Amino acid sequence: MNIEDKLIFPRMEKSKQNHLKEKIFEIIFEADTPLGKLFDVMLLITILFSVALVMLESVPSINAKYHTILVVLEWVVTILFTIEYALRLYCVRKPWRYFFSFYGIIDLLSILPTYLGIMYPSTKYLSSIRILRLFRIFRIFGLTQFMRGGSMLLIALRQSRAKIIVFLSFIILIVVVIGSIMFVVESEHPESGFTSIPTSIYWAVVTLTTVGYGDIAPSTALGKFLASVVMIIGYGVIAVPTGIVSSELSRSKTPEPPKNTQVCPHCHDSYHLDKAVFCKTCGTKLNS
Amino acid sequence: MNIEDKLIFPRMEKSKQNHLKEKIFEIIFEADTPLGKLFDVMLLITILFSVALVMLESVPSINAKYHTILVVLEWVVTILFTIEYALRLYCVRKPWRYFFSFYGIIDLLSILPTYLGIMYPSTKYLSSIRILRLFRIFRIFGLTQFMRGGSMLLIALRQSRAKIIVFLSFIILIVVVIGSIMFVVESEHPESGFTSIPTSIYWAVVTLTTVGYGDIAPSTALGKFLASVVMIIGYGVIAVPTGIVSSELSRSKTPEPPKNTQVCPHCHDSYHLDKAVFCKTCGTKLNS
Amino acid sequence: MNIEDKLIFPRMEKSKQNHLKEKIFEIIFEADTPLGKLFDVMLLITILFSVALVMLESVPSINAKYHTILVVLEWVVTILFTIEYALRLYCVRKPWRYFFSFYGIIDLLSILPTYLGIMYPSTKYLSSIRILRLFRIFRIFGLTQFMRGGSMLLIALRQSRAKIIVFLSFIILIVVVIGSIMFVVESEHPESGFTSIPTSIYWAVVTLTTVGYGDIAPSTALGKFLASVVMIIGYGVIAVPTGIVSSELSRSKTPEPPKNTQVCPHCHDSYHLDKAVFCKTCGTKLNS
Amino acid sequence: MNIEDKLIFPRMEKSKQNHLKEKIFEIIFEADTPLGKLFDVMLLITILFSVALVMLESVPSINAKYHTILVVLEWVVTILFTIEYALRLYCVRKPWRYFFSFYGIIDLLSILPTYLGIMYPSTKYLSSIRILRLFRIFRIFGLTQFMRGGSMLLIALRQSRAKIIVFLSFIILIVVVIGSIMFVVESEHPESGFTSIPTSIYWAVVTLTTVGYGDIAPSTALGKFLASVVMIIGYGVIAVPTGIVSSELSRSKTPEPPKNTQVCPHCHDSYHLDKAVFCKTCGTKLNS
């Protein structure tokens, strides 16, 4: 909040309770104050650290060697996240709204697997959910001015949405038809891997997108010829999405970056104007 | 048809027979009325369902387990499509013209394999033809305003046709020459897979388009060097179609979307103006 | 030659011998007259047919079965090309100049292997040279108006030459450095295929260009991490040539197509203006 | 240095010692004089030759055969580079500054491994460091006008830096999340290669960038479906960096090329104006 704002809109009287709540809200949800920035940096490091833990745990050799250390560190991180989750629930005005929001669910899914692991033996499937913590990074960056480039990309993508849908439909259609043709052509040669239409469609996707694993490859002359046609189509068709995005980006102008990191305590809407006192979406008074 | 049109061009007297025909035509071929829209949505779902059936039938394990259910469902879908095909033939003014049109043939090919399966034991080859039903989706979308993005893409592609042909000719030439060179270079090492010039050309396509299956790969030092050159050429040459489409799309402007979904009952031409009373192509009176 | 030209520049007296030479020159080298066009079409078909012959000969199974037919057809094509070659030498004013020109050498290489095959047993190496016949197609298209799109592409490529050289140097540098690093990293695991620096560089090219055969693939954790970095670089770097060509094509305007297919009988220069009487390059009088 | 400059700024009196130093500096660091150009060309050839030596040494079969010749040539190159390194240290005004500069370290690393090889048996790791000699080429080209195309590319890249960072972050996030999902999906089938989350992430990178080695490939139906989605995402997402660079290059104008190759003897800064007498960065007098 700018100094001028403070002069124009003097802080109203509040109970100490509310003041604490507001303070925590400002630290956790916003990035204007030094403490808010410090919190974001610490959170970012913890998230990256916890994601690294989940990855290391999944490597059999490392898990066998350092199992105890990994479990202890995992608990430390989980408890930190639990405290943060509790504070978030405490300081927002409408806890239920946060609880059922996208980030609320991500936050819960980040800590739940470790607690469930006490009751039920921790399985691979459960612990991998914690990788979703990575999505929490977006919340941090969403508050800073880093996203200017990204928002421009998103605008370009949104404006060419119709063209992208048509393009994807075309790709799906071509892949289904080619997959079926190749299934018929190569069905006499089971060793080439075209065992069913879905598998052949999978091959068509692998080929059209120029990935080319080689686990399924045509063995007949006709199959190879058709595959060559598919490849050249794929090689040429890649030009279409590129052309779409290029021309969209050439047209678009850089939008003004959001300079304000305030978040509405009621509806969690961000991107307010610098001198905004009330939320532009729900009209709630913003924290100064 | 707009309400104003109805005021300006009062509906002429017709026999009941003609009225029914016209009504069915409007439902099946157009998408203006609520019934026409409902028909299109139902048809879309049925097509997607029948395509899924064909795919599942091709998977050996699923076909073994649920063969009876799949056959029954296949018959249900075929009978529905047969009724639709009969109605289409009934309501158009010139059935033969529809019969020999692109969609007329697709419609026939969609239902024929199941009926032929009674007389002759149903083979894999026949049943896969039914995947062509997917093309019928285009007819549905052709009537809606979804295709604006697509039509712009098509315009860009058509305008850069000359450049695309030159580009493709160049690709074919380079692939034939490189394939022949690699055949000579690697012919001493049959284990690397360059067994004939066509096979080597197939390898050149796989490599130039950056698909890279790995089923054929050079084993000599010279072969690897030449392959590297091919890859770098392919990596650079991909820029050409992209550049063509990009610059074309940058130039082109979004065309006005077709707002009218009327189809001429005589020549099946679509994209009429909103207030059109007569077909712009053959002069036949359009259904109101 | 336009009718107006004929009025303005009346045909001069020539000996019959010269008239025949000129007539043949017009048919073989130009494409203005109906006979010239017919000749080009026939030549195009023969070239494509002979290239197909060379390809089929290289397939062991086909060669074993139809060897005699292939040899006979090959001789028919060779004799046709020999007659054409002799006529070309006869009708040009300076045969030696044609003999040592690019197309003169290609024409000779197209027929020589078959004749050499009588003296020496026809080897794979000799017969594969005949695939160069494909280059002769370019001469045909060089005379028509087909190349407008191509010439525009060439202009765009030529104008961005400096950028393309810098880009290629960068690619070569990055590939050499990455190849050497991967050689050191993976040298303990000979089974992953990084046996020498050149092989590792080959792998780096395969990976950076997103071809990815899979014959050489990292097996250590560090190797996989470095490979991932290379892939993402390659994935991003592909944008550079595309961007170069796109922006060049956006800038360039469609050049006027060459409307005249006259070829200078002296220096074989093409692309003369419609009303040109003398060659723009060497000043020789053009055939009317 | 231009002739006019010589007239305007007459050469000041210097001791012979200084004159020699200055002469060597001009030859080694600049490319204005014929001798300076000759030196650069010779250096370029020597560097490329020495890099070829390092590569050949790494090939087991070549090293076994020509070991002695390779060692001798390596010593010749190393001694030449040592002399050059000594001269560079001698002629710069502040040797320590050069010693710790980027090129100073590269120069040292280019010769050190050979000398260390006497004391310790030359290992693969040591000798591979010499490939860094390749970076010395950049110094040569940095002085010429070759880099105009490159500098334009760099400007385009720098201007779209924010968008590229956002794009890369998005790629890393998507790859981590998809890798984790695939690990869970394919963990029951260890033969498909998804043995840990890092390995699965490696697979996701290989697939998203359309490299597709095929060493790790999904075997379950769900895995194949998810892989297809990843491929289509990757195929579409490649449009984004291309679009970014294209639109940036379309906007940017060709910058003026640096016409002057003088290098400051104090701070080694290049790109001075044509008539510059003092270094634009540190104010030191430039050699005439």
Side-chain angles (χ1 to χ4, degrees):
Chain A
M1 195 178 185
N2 297 337
I3 289 160
E4 306 138 67
D5 292 340
K6 292 211 175 165
L7 294 173
I8 300 167
F9 306 102
R11 187 179 288 257
M12 276 162 282
E13 287 301 305
K14 287 164 206 149
S15 70
K16 266 196 178 169
Q17 167 79 17
N18 271 357
H19 188 72
L20 180 70
K21 253 192 176 178
E22 215 170 78
K23 194 81 199 161
I24 294 171
F25 185 89
E26 220 172 87
I27 292 169
I28 294 185
F29 281 93
E30 302 184 5
D32 270 341
T33 55
L35 268 173
K37 269 172 196 160
L38 184 72
F39 177 83
D40 279 356
V41 170
M42 296 297 291
L43 186 62
L44 186 63
I45 293 166
T46 318
I47 291 171
L48 290 177
F49 178 73
S50 78
V51 167
L53 276 182
V54 175
M55 283 189 198
L56 290 175
E57 246 188 273
S58 79
V59 183
S61 61
I62 291 173
N63 194 30
K65 227 170 170 179
Y66 306 104
H67 185 67
T68 327
I69 305 167
L70 286 171
V71 167
V72 169
L73 286 172
E74 185 53 48
W75 272 106
V76 171
V77 168
T78 303
I79 288 163
L80 284 175
F81 283 159
T82 310
I83 294 167
E84 187 222 345
Y85 184 61
L87 283 176
R88 277 185 197 272
L89 275 177
Y90 167 72
C91 73
V92 293
R93 289 201 197 160
K94 300 215 170 178
W96 285 108
R97 194 188 275 265
Y98 166 72
F99 188 82
F100 288 114
S101 71
F102 175 71
Y103 285 124
I105 291 163
I106 290 283
D107 287 352
L108 189 62
L109 286 175
S110 300
I111 52 172
L112 221 60
T114 320
Y115 290 111
L116 284 173
I118 311 171
M119 287 168 282
Y120 312 97
S122 172
T123 67
K124 234 187 274 192
Y125 307 100
L126 267 177
S127 61
S128 290
I129 295 171
R130 285 172 296 166
I131 214 98
L132 293 174
R133 281 169 188 164
L134 213 60
F135 277 112
R136 306 180 70 203
I137 286 174
F138 270 123
R139 179 162 49 192
I140 298 172
F141 283 116
L143 293 174
T144 66
Q145 296 176 22
F146 250 80
M147 297 300 280
R148 181 153 48 144
S151 68
M152 197 175 149
L153 280 181
L154 279 178
I155 290 167
L157 284 176
R158 205 174 303 146
Q159 279 174 351
S160 45
R161 195 180 38 197
K163 272 178 250 160
I164 288 170
I165 288 170
V166 170
F167 175 71
L168 275 183
S169 316
F170 172 73
I171 291 291
I172 290 167
L173 184 99
I174 219 174
V175 147
V176 168
V177 171
I178 286 168
S180 307
I181 294 170
M182 286 301 283
F183 170 64
V184 172
V185 167
E186 292 279 328
S187 57
E188 305 289 286
H189 299 258
E191 77 280 1
S192 53
F194 295 83
T195 51
S196 66
I197 290 182
T199 308
S200 300
I201 291 170
Y202 167 70
W203 168 85
V205 173
V206 169
T207 301
L208 193 81
T209 57
T210 77
V211 172
Y213 284 138
D215 50 350
I216 308 168
S219 59
T220 62
L222 181 59
K224 281 178 180 176
F225 176 73
L226 286 174
S228 299
V229 172
V230 175
M231 285 168 212
I232 290 176
I233 290 173
Y235 190 62
V237 160
I238 206 171
V240 176
T242 312
I244 292 168
V245 176
S246 292
S247 65
E248 223 38 80
L249 278 176
S250 298
R251 239 169 256 172
S252 69
K253 274 160 201 133
T254 317
E256 278 299 297
K259 286 198 184 113
N260 187 297
T261 68
Q262 284 186 312
V263 176
C264 172
H266 181 78
C267 69
H268 298 163
D269 195 34
S270 52
Y271 297 111
H272 301 284
L273 284 181
D274 272 356
K275 306 211 170 180
V277 188
F278 296 99
C279 172
K280 66 173 163 48
T281 310
C282 68
T284 308
K285 189 141 192 346
L286 298 174
N287 295 121
S288 51
Chain B
M1 196 177 185
N2 299 334
I3 289 161
E4 306 138 67
D5 293 341
K6 292 210 177 167
L7 294 172
I8 299 167
F9 306 103
R11 187 180 289 258
M12 276 163 284
E13 286 302 306
K14 286 163 206 148
S15 71
K16 264 195 177 170
Q17 167 79 17
N18 271 357
H19 187 71
L20 180 69
K21 254 192 177 181
E22 216 170 77
K23 193 79 198 160
I24 294 171
F25 185 88
E26 221 173 86
I27 293 170
I28 294 186
F29 282 94
E30 302 184 6
D32 271 342
T33 55
L35 268 173
K37 268 172 198 161
L38 184 72
F39 177 82
D40 279 357
V41 170
M42 297 298 290
L43 187 61
L44 185 62
I45 292 166
T46 320
I47 291 171
L48 290 177
F49 179 73
S50 78
V51 167
L53 275 183
V54 176
M55 282 190 200
L56 291 174
E57 245 188 274
S58 79
V59 183
S61 62
I62 290 174
N63 194 30
K65 228 171 170 177
Y66 306 105
H67 187 68
T68 328
I69 306 167
L70 288 172
V71 168
V72 169
L73 287 173
E74 185 53 49
W75 272 107
V76 171
V77 168
T78 303
I79 287 163
L80 283 175
F81 283 158
T82 311
I83 294 166
E84 186 222 346
Y85 184 62
L87 283 176
R88 277 186 197 272
L89 275 177
Y90 167 71
C91 72
V92 293
R93 290 203 194 157
K94 300 216 170 177
W96 285 108
R97 196 190 274 263
Y98 166 71
F99 188 82
F100 289 113
S101 71
F102 175 72
Y103 285 124
I105 291 163
I106 290 284
D107 286 353
L108 189 61
L109 285 175
S110 299
I111 53 172
L112 221 59
T114 320
Y115 290 110
L116 285 174
I118 311 171
M119 287 169 278
Y120 312 96
S122 172
T123 68
K124 233 186 273 191
Y125 306 99
L126 266 176
S127 61
S128 290
I129 294 171
R130 285 172 295 167
I131 213 100
L132 293 174
R133 281 170 188 163
L134 213 60
F135 277 111
R136 306 180 69 203
I137 286 175
F138 271 121
R139 179 162 50 193
I140 298 172
F141 282 117
L143 294 175
T144 67
Q145 296 176 22
F146 250 82
M147 296 300 278
R148 184 157 44 146
S151 69
M152 196 174 151
L153 280 181
L154 279 178
I155 289 166
L157 284 176
R158 204 174 304 147
Q159 278 172 352
S160 45
R161 195 180 38 197
K163 273 179 250 159
I164 287 170
I165 288 170
V166 170
F167 175 71
L168 275 182
S169 316
F170 171 73
I171 291 291
I172 290 166
L173 185 98
I174 218 173
V175 147
V176 168
V177 171
I178 286 167
S180 307
I181 295 170
M182 286 300 282
F183 171 63
V184 171
V185 167
E186 292 279 328
S187 57
E188 306 289 287
H189 298 258
E191 77 280 2
S192 51
F194 295 83
T195 51
S196 66
I197 290 183
T199 307
S200 300
I201 290 170
Y202 167 70
W203 168 85
V205 174
V206 168
T207 301
L208 194 81
T209 57
T210 78
V211 171
Y213 284 137
D215 51 349
I216 308 168
S219 58
T220 62
L222 182 58
K224 281 177 180 176
F225 176 74
L226 287 173
S228 300
V229 172
V230 175
M231 285 168 211
I232 290 175
I233 290 174
Y235 190 62
V237 160
I238 206 171
V240 176
T242 311
I244 292 168
V245 176
S246 293
S247 65
E248 225 38 80
L249 279 175
S250 298
R251 238 169 258 172
S252 68
K253 275 161 201 133
T254 316
E256 278 299 297
K259 287 200 185 109
N260 187 297
T261 68
Q262 285 185 311
V263 175
C264 171
H266 180 79
C267 69
H268 298 163
D269 196 34
S270 52
Y271 296 111
H272 301 284
L273 285 180
D274 272 356
K275 306 214 169 180
V277 187
F278 296 100
C279 172
K280 67 174 161 46
T281 310
C282 68
T284 308
K285 188 137 191 349
L286 298 174
N287 295 120
S288 51
Chain C
M1 197 177 184
N2 299 334
I3 289 160
E4 306 138 66
D5 294 340
K6 293 211 177 167
L7 295 173
I8 300 166
F9 306 103
R11 188 178 288 257
M12 275 163 284
E13 285 301 305
K14 287 163 206 145
S15 72
K16 263 195 176 168
Q17 167 80 17
N18 272 357
H19 187 73
L20 179 68
K21 255 191 177 180
E22 216 170 75
K23 194 78 200 160
I24 294 171
F25 185 89
E26 222 174 85
I27 291 169
I28 294 186
F29 282 93
E30 301 184 4
D32 271 341
T33 55
L35 267 174
K37 268 172 197 160
L38 184 71
F39 176 82
D40 279 356
V41 170
M42 295 299 290
L43 186 61
L44 185 63
I45 292 166
T46 318
I47 292 171
L48 289 176
F49 178 72
S50 78
V51 166
L53 275 183
V54 176
M55 283 189 198
L56 290 175
E57 244 189 273
S58 79
V59 183
S61 62
I62 290 173
N63 194 32
K65 226 172 172 177
Y66 306 104
H67 185 68
T68 328
I69 306 167
L70 287 172
V71 167
V72 169
L73 287 173
E74 183 53 47
W75 272 106
V76 171
V77 168
T78 304
I79 288 163
L80 284 175
F81 284 162
T82 311
I83 295 166
E84 187 221 344
Y85 184 62
L87 284 176
R88 276 184 198 272
L89 274 176
Y90 167 72
C91 72
V92 293
R93 288 200 197 161
K94 300 216 170 176
W96 284 109
R97 195 188 274 265
Y98 166 71
F99 187 82
F100 289 114
S101 71
F102 175 71
Y103 284 124
I105 292 163
I106 290 286
D107 288 353
L108 189 61
L109 286 174
S110 300
I111 53 173
L112 219 62
T114 319
Y115 291 110
L116 284 173
I118 311 171
M119 288 169 280
Y120 312 96
S122 173
T123 68
K124 236 185 268 194
Y125 304 99
L126 262 177
S127 60
S128 290
I129 293 171
R130 287 172 297 160
I131 211 98
L132 293 174
R133 284 168 185 166
L134 211 61
F135 278 110
R136 307 180 71 206
I137 288 173
F138 270 122
R139 181 162 46 194
I140 299 171
F141 284 116
L143 294 174
T144 66
Q145 298 175 24
F146 250 81
M147 296 300 278
R148 184 153 48 141
S151 69
M152 197 174 150
L153 279 180
L154 279 178
I155 290 167
L157 283 176
R158 204 175 303 145
Q159 279 172 352
S160 45
R161 194 180 39 196
K163 272 178 252 162
I164 288 170
I165 288 171
V166 170
F167 175 71
L168 275 183
S169 315
F170 172 73
I171 291 290
I172 290 166
L173 184 100
I174 219 173
V175 147
V176 168
V177 171
I178 285 168
S180 306
I181 294 170
M182 286 300 283
F183 171 64
V184 171
V185 167
E186 292 279 328
S187 57
E188 306 289 286
H189 299 257
E191 77 281 2
S192 52
F194 295 83
T195 51
S196 66
I197 290 183
T199 307
S200 300
I201 290 171
Y202 167 70
W203 169 85
V205 173
V206 168
T207 301
L208 193 81
T209 57
T210 77
V211 172
Y213 284 138
D215 50 349
I216 308 168
S219 59
T220 63
L222 181 59
K224 281 178 179 175
F225 175 74
L226 286 174
S228 300
V229 172
V230 174
M231 284 167 212
I232 290 175
I233 290 174
Y235 190 62
V237 160
I238 206 170
V240 176
T242 312
I244 292 168
V245 176
S246 292
S247 64
E248 225 35 82
L249 279 176
S250 298
R251 238 168 258 173
S252 70
K253 275 160 201 135
T254 316
E256 277 299 296
K259 286 199 183 112
N260 187 297
T261 67
Q262 286 186 310
V263 175
C264 171
H266 181 78
C267 70
H268 298 162
D269 195 34
S270 53
Y271 296 113
H272 300 284
L273 284 181
D274 272 357
K275 307 214 169 181
V277 188
F278 297 99
C279 172
K280 68 173 160 47
T281 310
C282 68
T284 309
K285 188 141 191 348
L286 297 174
N287 295 121
S288 52
Chain D
M1 195 177 187
N2 299 335
I3 290 160
E4 305 137 68
D5 294 340
K6 292 210 175 165
L7 295 172
I8 299 167
F9 308 102
R11 187 179 290 256
M12 276 162 282
E13 286 300 305
K14 285 161 205 148
S15 71
K16 267 196 174 167
Q17 167 80 20
N18 271 356
H19 187 71
L20 179 69
K21 256 193 175 178
E22 215 171 78
K23 194 79 201 161
I24 294 171
F25 184 89
E26 222 174 86
I27 293 169
I28 294 185
F29 281 93
E30 300 185 6
D32 271 341
T33 55
L35 268 174
K37 268 173 197 160
L38 184 72
F39 176 83
D40 280 355
V41 170
M42 297 297 291
L43 187 61
L44 185 63
I45 292 165
T46 319
I47 291 171
L48 289 176
F49 178 73
S50 78
V51 167
L53 275 182
V54 175
M55 283 189 199
L56 290 175
E57 244 189 273
S58 78
V59 184
S61 63
I62 291 174
N63 194 32
K65 227 171 172 180
Y66 306 104
H67 186 68
T68 327
I69 306 168
L70 287 172
V71 168
V72 169
L73 286 172
E74 185 53 47
W75 273 105
V76 170
V77 168
T78 303
I79 288 163
L80 283 175
F81 284 163
T82 310
I83 294 167
E84 186 221 344
Y85 185 61
L87 284 175
R88 276 184 197 272
L89 274 177
Y90 167 72
C91 71
V92 293
R93 289 200 195 160
K94 300 215 170 177
W96 284 108
R97 195 189 274 264
Y98 165 72
F99 188 82
F100 289 112
S101 71
F102 174 72
Y103 285 125
I105 291 162
I106 290 284
D107 288 353
L108 189 62
L109 285 174
S110 300
I111 53 173
L112 219 61
T114 319
Y115 291 111
L116 285 173
I118 312 172
M119 288 169 279
Y120 312 97
S122 171
T123 67
K124 237 185 266 193
Y125 305 100
L126 262 177
S127 61
S128 290
I129 294 171
R130 287 172 296 159
I131 212 99
L132 292 174
R133 284 168 184 165
L134 211 62
F135 278 110
R136 307 181 71 208
I137 288 173
F138 270 122
R139 180 162 48 194
I140 299 172
F141 283 117
L143 293 173
T144 66
Q145 298 175 21
F146 250 80
M147 297 299 280
R148 185 157 42 145
S151 68
M152 196 175 149
L153 280 181
L154 279 178
I155 289 166
L157 284 176
R158 205 175 303 146
Q159 279 173 352
S160 45
R161 197 180 38 197
K163 272 178 249 159
I164 287 170
I165 288 170
V166 170
F167 175 70
L168 275 183
S169 315
F170 171 72
I171 290 292
I172 290 167
L173 185 99
I174 218 173
V175 147
V176 168
V177 171
I178 285 167
S180 306
I181 294 170
M182 286 301 282
F183 170 63
V184 171
V185 167
E186 292 279 327
S187 57
E188 305 289 286
H189 299 259
E191 76 281 1
S192 52
F194 294 84
T195 52
S196 66
I197 291 182
T199 307
S200 301
I201 291 170
Y202 167 71
W203 168 85
V205 173
V206 169
T207 301
L208 193 81
T209 58
T210 76
V211 171
Y213 284 138
D215 51 349
I216 309 168
S219 58
T220 62
L222 182 58
K224 281 178 179 176
F225 176 74
L226 287 174
S228 300
V229 172
V230 175
M231 285 167 212
I232 290 175
I233 291 174
Y235 189 63
V237 160
I238 206 170
V240 176
T242 312
I244 293 168
V245 176
S246 292
S247 65
E248 225 34 84
L249 278 176
S250 299
R251 240 169 256 173
S252 69
K253 274 159 201 135
T254 316
E256 277 300 296
K259 285 194 182 118
N260 188 297
T261 68
Q262 285 185 311
V263 175
C264 171
H266 180 80
C267 70
H268 298 163
D269 196 35
S270 53
Y271 297 111
H272 301 284
L273 284 180
D274 272 356
K275 306 212 170 182
V277 187
F278 297 99
C279 172
K280 68 173 161 47
T281 309
C282 69
T284 309
K285 190 143 192 342
L286 298 173
N287 294 121
S288 51

